[in-house]
Amino acid sequence: MSEKSIFKRIIDKEIPADIVYEDDLCLAFRDLSPQAPTHVLVIPKKEIKSVATITDQDQALIGHLYLIIRNIARELGLGNGYRVVANCGAEGGQTVDHLHFHLLGGRQLKWPPG
Ligand code: DGP
């Protein structure tokens, strides 16, 4: 039986996603349940479960992900601002055990989050 997470299945193209960017290291696709007019998930292709399990060896990869987030935000016209969120663990509200950064924008976002 497959232990693959839903995001690993998207990386492997076993299930479809609305992909906005892809390279050797990462994939970005639109969230199935958007919480803002623009809601993109940016994920490493490497199977990292969460922020809590990032290793020192992942330093360049995480930097790469943030540069890609910056580029996608520019390309999607989020010049007025946006939010980047990584939910971590049960109390952090993480529901998919594959590291992902939410890129949210296109409306005024509130603070604090719920
Ligand atoms: P989090 O709660 O931080 O773990 O965010 C998981 C997000 O993943 C949530 O906003 C919904 C989204 N999501 C879950 N399953 C799928 C899927 O199959 N496709 C896409 N595009 N997004 C998904």
Side-chain angles (χ1 to χ4, degrees):
M1 199 175 71
S2 173
E3 298 288 331
K4 279 186 183 181
S5 76
I6 194 85
F7 289 174
K8 177 61 175 161
R9 295 184 66 200
I10 289 173
I11 290 166
D12 291 344
K13 308 288 164 56
E14 291 175 5
I15 58 172
D18 185 354
I19 293 171
V20 299
Y21 177 82
E22 180 169 15
D23 64 25
D24 288 348
L25 298 175
C26 72
L27 186 67
F29 52 94
R30 293 189 190 272
D31 196 292
L32 204 57
S33 176
Q35 302 301 312
T38 296
H39 187 170
V40 169
L41 300 171
V42 182
I43 70 173
K45 290 187 173 176
K46 179 179 177 185
E47 289 185 87
I48 299 169
K49 283 198 171 180
S50 75
V51 171
T53 59
I54 293 170
T55 68
D56 291 359
Q57 286 68 42
D58 298 322
Q59 183 170 351
L61 173 61
I62 302 304
H64 178 73
L65 292 176
Y66 262 93
L67 292 175
I68 295 304
I69 290 167
R70 176 204 63 189
N71 292 348
I72 293 170
R74 282 181 186 161
E75 282 159 17
L76 297 182
L78 301 180
N80 288 333
Y82 52 88
R83 187 171 295 167
V84 181
V85 177
N87 297 324
C88 180
E91 286 197 8
Q94 184 175 5
T95 59
V96 178
D97 284 340
H98 184 115
L99 178 65
H100 51 284
F101 294 94
H102 297 257
L103 168 60
L104 298 141
R107 68 171 171 83
Q108 181 60 55
L109 298 167
K110 298 187 179 74
W111 192 263

